């Protein structure tokens, strides 16, 4: 695998990333528990083709995180503290976005594209502003990791693969939602995919 030069980093950024990852794991377990505790319902539509998108996203994120970490900044230096603050804002923003999105989805949340026979089109919470807030959260997480690890140049290789995987998942998920919910077209016309007013 091609290795890019790494930037020097400090402990504040690594600690911020670690704290954020811990909070994310708790949030992920809570999202999973909501689905397990809900009444059983059959999948109305399911698209396992989105698994290839998950794989591409995972490899892209892995490429960003791959490589040595050069912890050489004085932890009390302005650069290390600023880096730590940026990482903390990004990772906590990612966790908040994931948590609020998974709560809005409730038992509709799943890893692969599917709808439940008793499900509905979620248009509240972050979904009122963007159609794919969890993928935005994943992008924020990836950026936070790149900064914390000093792997910003790794984004050159990892970000396009992550974007490809995201595009694959969105395509499959949108086809499932269009086939299931009559109001999806109106929702998609009103709400952007990733950034309000842009994409």
């Amino acid at each position: 695998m091609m290795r890019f030069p790494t930037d020097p980093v400090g402990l504040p950024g690594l600690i911020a990333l670690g704290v954020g990852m811990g909070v994310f794991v708790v949030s992920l377990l809570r999202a999973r528990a909501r689905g397990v505790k809900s009444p059983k319902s059959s999948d109305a539509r399911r698209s396992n083709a989105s698994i290839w998108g998950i794989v591409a996203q995972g490899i892209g994120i892995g490429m960003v995180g791959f490589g040595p970490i050069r912890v050489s900044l004085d932890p009390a230096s302005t650069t290390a503290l600023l880096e730590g603050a940026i990482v903390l804002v990004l990772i906590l923003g990612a966790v908040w976005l994931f948590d609020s999105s998974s709560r809005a989805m409730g038992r509709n949340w799943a890893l692969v594209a599917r709808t439940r026979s008793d499900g509905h089109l979620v248009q509240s919470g972050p979904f009122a502003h963007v159609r794919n807030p969890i993928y935005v959260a994943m992008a924020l997480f990836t950026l936070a990791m790149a900064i914390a690890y000093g792997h910003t140049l790794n984004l050159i290789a990892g970000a396009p693969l992550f974007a490809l995987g995201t595009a694959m998942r969105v395509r499959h998920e949108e086809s499932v939602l269009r086939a299931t919910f009559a109001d999806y077209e109106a929702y998609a016309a009103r709400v952007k995919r990733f950034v309000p007013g842009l994409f």
Side-chain angles (χ1 to χ4, degrees), residues 18 50 87 131 169:
S50 64
V87 169
R131 299 195 319 255
R169 292 185 74 179

Side-chain angles (χ1 to χ4, degrees), residues 23-24 26-35 38 92-110 116 120-128 133-134 137:
V23 175
F24 171 73
V26 170
S27 178
L28 183 63
L29 292 173
R30 288 173 54 193
R32 180 75 181 121
R34 278 190 292 272
S38 66
L92 291 182
V95 170
W96 174 82
L97 199 51
F98 171 80
D99 187 61
S100 57
S101 300
S102 65
R103 278 189 284 112
M105 292 181 79
R107 63 180 183 238
N108 293 309
W109 181 80
R116 296 167 58 98
H120 65 282
L121 181 62
V122 178
Q123 302 181 52
S124 59
F127 294 93
I134 291 177

Side-chain angles (χ1 to χ4, degrees), residues 45-68:
R45 293 185 188 277
R46 182 182 179 98
S47 174
N48 286 328
S50 64
I51 290 173
W52 292 111
I54 294 169
V55 170
Q57 283 177 319
I59 293 171
I61 293 170
M63 290 172 77
V64 172
F66 178 76

Side-chain angles (χ1 to χ4, degrees), residues 34-42 107 116 118:
R34 278 190 292 272
V36 169
K37 288 179 183 175
S38 66
K40 295 292 180 189
S41 172
S42 62
R107 63 180 183 238
R116 296 167 58 98
D118 62 347

Side-chain angles (χ1 to χ4, degrees), residues 139-155:
L140 291 175
F141 168 83
T142 304
L143 183 57
M145 182 176 63
I147 294 169
Y149 289 175
H151 294 175
T152 51
L153 288 178
N154 286 23
L155 289 168

